Amino acid sequence: MQTTPAPLEGLLIITPRLFHDERGYFYESFHRTRYAEAGLPPFLQDNHSLSKKNVVRGLHYQKPHAQGKLVFVTRGKVWDVVVDIRRDSKTFGQWFSIELSDENHAQLYIPPGFAHGFCTLSDEADFAYKCTDVYTPGTEHGIRFDDPDINIPWPTTTPILSDKDKTYPRLADIPREHLFP
């Protein structure tokens, strides 16, 4: 596997090594020892979602019980986005995006301190993520996906959102204690 730092400090792009033959391909989507050697923490929970085209999930985070996430797509294609919400970071409020797909097999490690979301580009996408802490009801927070101050150019003009995602505040309106130091 190859690891590459992304432009926002702490983000890590992981490209697994694929082994091709006449049957198709094989790759390790996770290997605890190799990922630990790359600096990733242990993971406690695996999640999987199925989303239709133009679904936008996010921008989500959990505090307390902050979660680092290793995200990847097992079928389809998404446009994955993270926003730095570490209030003392020099890149606070900045975003980074990467296309994750079953063709490029790219993975993104997102440490605590970032809000995360994605938009499904294919007809459907299976999205997998490993988390460093478990989901804890009552500690979930979010940022409005179309916050004009962040100005993320989402690749859809017809986003499909959950009711919860429609009600999240702008980053500027989030109480300081709900952000990361």
Side-chain angles (χ1 to χ4, degrees), residues 20-100:
H20 291 273
D21 65 21
E22 65 278 353
R23 300 169 296 165
Y25 66 82
F26 169 84
Y27 75 96
E28 290 178 342
S29 61
F30 180 74
H31 186 288
R32 184 174 61 183
T33 302
R34 287 191 185 110
Y35 281 62
E37 289 170 353
L40 276 69
F43 296 99
L44 302 180
Q45 178 177 320
D46 284 359
N47 298 324
H48 186 115
S49 69
L50 169 68
S51 298
K52 297 177 180 179
K53 186 175 184 124
N54 294 319
V55 165
V56 172
R57 293 184 187 260
L59 299 160
H60 304 143
Y61 65 99
Q62 197 170 268
K63 184 173 186 283
H65 303 285
Q67 295 176 312
K69 297 177 182 175
L70 177 67
V71 299
F72 55 99
V73 170
T74 59
R75 183 177 60 96
K77 181 171 33 174
V78 306
W79 193 66
D80 199 69
V81 179
V82 295
V83 177
D84 187 347
I85 57 171
R86 301 169 295 181
R87 62 181 182 255
D88 298 328
S89 169
K90 62 184 175 191
T91 56
F92 177 78
Q94 293 181 24
W95 59 273
F96 170 78
S97 69
I98 184 172
E99 186 176 287
L100 304 175

Side-chain angles (χ1 to χ4, degrees), residues 62-168:
Q62 197 170 268
K63 184 173 186 283
H65 303 285
Q67 295 176 312
K69 297 177 182 175
L70 177 67
V71 299
F72 55 99
V73 170
T74 59
R75 183 177 60 96
K77 181 171 33 174
V78 306
W79 193 66
D80 199 69
V81 179
V82 295
V83 177
D84 187 347
I85 57 171
R86 301 169 295 181
R87 62 181 182 255
D88 298 328
S89 169
K90 62 184 175 191
T91 56
F92 177 78
Q94 293 181 24
W95 59 273
F96 170 78
S97 69
I98 184 172
E99 186 176 287
L100 304 175
S101 74
D102 60 4
E103 293 179 2
N104 68 18
H105 308 286
Q107 300 176 343
L108 181 65
Y109 174 66
I110 308 159
F114 289 85
H116 172 255
F118 67 87
C119 176
T120 306
L121 301 174
S122 52
D123 289 338
E124 288 186 333
D126 284 307
F127 189 85
Y129 47 112
K130 303 179 93 46
C131 300
T132 59
D133 203 343
V134 297
Y135 170 72
T136 308
T139 66
E140 58 189 325
H141 301 279
I143 299 169
R144 196 180 156 106
F145 88 102
D146 60 350
D147 183 329
D149 297 327
I150 301 172
N151 197 28
I152 298 170
W154 293 93
T156 180
T157 56
T158 56
I160 302 167
L161 301 161
S162 70
D163 289 340
K164 182 172 57 174
D165 287 352
K166 291 176 186 176
T167 64
Y168 282 132

